Amino acid sequence: MLFSPFNEKIATIILLVLPCGFLSILSFEILIALPEIALHFMAGWNAQYLLCFHYSSPIPPFAIISGIYGALLLLKRLKPIPLAMLILTASFLSNFYFSFKCFEANSQNPIVYTSSSNSHKSLLSIPKKDILQKYYQIKRERALFETIKAIVPKNLPVSIQDNILSHFSARRNPVYSFPDYKEGEYVVLNTYGKDWVAPWTNPEECRKAVNELLKDNRFQLFFKEDKSGEAILLFAKKERKNEIIKNAKRLVKEDPKSTYAH
């Protein structure tokens, strides 16, 4: 498992040390990353060990830190300018050939390291106007979502759809994955985008649960920002009404300029 498929595993190692001009291999600090690399390499799903996804995020910091120590070692033998040029060139080229394109509308996930699927040439790419507008829309939705999140108490069980569940993970009480909502005191949903339901979740079950939630006499829809059929929704048990108002007023007091809190 550690070495299969060999081409992807060896490419991962190369691309790990490439941005620092391979200076990481000159420092023993890179060895600190070996247990983490081995752990990810034993996964049967390549998204776990390729450097394209968040799963492998604990690994690159070790490569950068060891790259710094490797540079210090070479500075004893080389002049600073050639060494700086080496690092900058390696960093720019690795970004150019192996990164996502800036503000790409529907960028394909780079499942493998190939020029056809992963050569996005992100450096110096110019975002189109409609892509920038989409970016600012997402930024606004995120600010609204964070406000809703701040209203929900951390000591009560909450039901969240699976693809945003991690935002509520650091809680003392249970967090239920929607459509499992009946044991929760609060329910937070974000239906922006056609793929608002996670691909590993049954969309029909989620839509059915939303309809049930709207008819459930124990719950009330306290907030809905509706836009072209897409919305951020905050449901809660009816007895939580005064608690929600109190928390919303607290947010307004903390940040009087926040239109989301108002």
Side-chain angles (χ1 to χ4, degrees):
M1 288 295 292
L2 284 173
F3 302 101
S4 177
F6 181 77
N7 60 332
E8 290 186 1
K9 299 292 175 68
I10 195 66
T12 298
I13 296 297
I14 292 173
L15 291 180
L16 180 65
V17 295
L18 176 64
C20 289
F22 297 99
L23 298 179
S24 304
I25 61 178
L26 300 179
S27 170
F28 73 89
E29 277 81 4
I30 191 64
L31 299 178
I32 302 174
L34 286 182
E36 192 73 28
I37 293 173
L39 179 66
H40 284 75
F41 275 19
M42 290 183 69
W45 185 33
N46 60 5
Q48 293 277 358
Y49 56 79
L50 297 180
L51 299 176
C52 314
F53 300 93
H54 59 284
Y55 303 106
S56 57
S57 59
I59 301 175
F62 294 108
I64 302 300
I65 293 170
S66 57
I68 294 172
Y69 282 100
L72 288 173
L73 182 65
L74 278 187
L75 276 174
K76 298 176 182 179
R77 302 181 179 182
L78 296 177
K79 293 183 178 180
I81 294 180
L83 186 60
M85 292 301 297
L86 169 65
I87 297 172
L88 284 173
T89 302
S91 181
F92 275 103
L93 289 179
S94 60
N95 176 280
F96 185 77
Y97 284 106
F98 299 107
S99 295
F100 282 113
K101 190 174 182 180
C102 294
F103 303 106
E104 183 63 55
N106 295 303
S107 57
Q108 180 183 356
N109 283 335
I111 299 300
V112 292
Y113 302 125
T114 62
S115 59
S116 60
S117 66
N118 197 30
S119 184
H120 295 287
K121 295 181 173 54
S122 67
L123 192 67
L124 304 180
S125 61
I126 301 174
K128 297 179 181 179
K129 183 179 179 181
D130 58 331
I131 303 301
L132 278 176
Q133 290 175 344
K134 181 65 176 177
Y135 167 77
Y136 287 117
Q137 178 188 344
I138 293 173
K139 183 179 179 181
R140 182 186 62 81
E141 294 163 6
R142 175 61 188 266
L144 176 59
F145 174 77
E146 290 295 334
T147 303
I148 297 297
K149 177 183 172 183
I151 288 176
V152 179
K154 292 185 177 181
N155 61 341
L156 293 173
V158 59
S159 174
I160 311 291
Q161 69 199 71
D162 206 15
N163 50 0
I164 57 173
L165 190 143
S166 60
H167 294 282
F168 289 80
S169 60
R171 305 173 68 86
R172 298 184 183 92
N173 284 58
V175 178
Y176 299 96
S177 178
F178 192 82
D180 182 10
Y181 73 88
K182 295 182 179 180
E183 299 298 324
E185 293 291 319
Y186 285 80
V187 181
V188 180
L189 301 175
N190 181 0
T191 64
Y192 281 102
K194 62 179 180 178
D195 300 321
W196 68 275
V197 177
W200 51 86
T201 306
N202 190 321
E204 291 302 322
E205 288 185 4
C206 289
R207 295 186 185 97
K208 182 180 178 182
V210 171
N211 291 330
E212 291 178 358
L213 194 54
L214 289 168
K215 298 175 182 178
D216 195 324
N217 292 327
R218 299 174 304 156
F219 285 88
Q220 181 177 337
L221 177 59
F222 284 98
F223 180 82
K224 178 183 181 182
E225 193 216 28
D226 202 336
K227 187 177 181 182
S228 302
E230 302 172 335
I232 293 178
L233 307 171
L234 173 64
F235 291 89
K237 296 282 182 67
K238 291 181 178 179
E239 57 266 27
R240 297 296 169 190
K241 179 177 181 179
N242 292 333
E243 184 176 66
I244 291 174
I245 294 174
K246 178 182 177 181
N247 290 339
K249 285 183 176 180
R250 172 180 54 81
L251 292 177
V252 172
K253 187 176 180 180
E254 292 175 356
D255 188 3
K257 295 181 180 181
S258 173
T259 57
Y260 307 110
H262 281 286

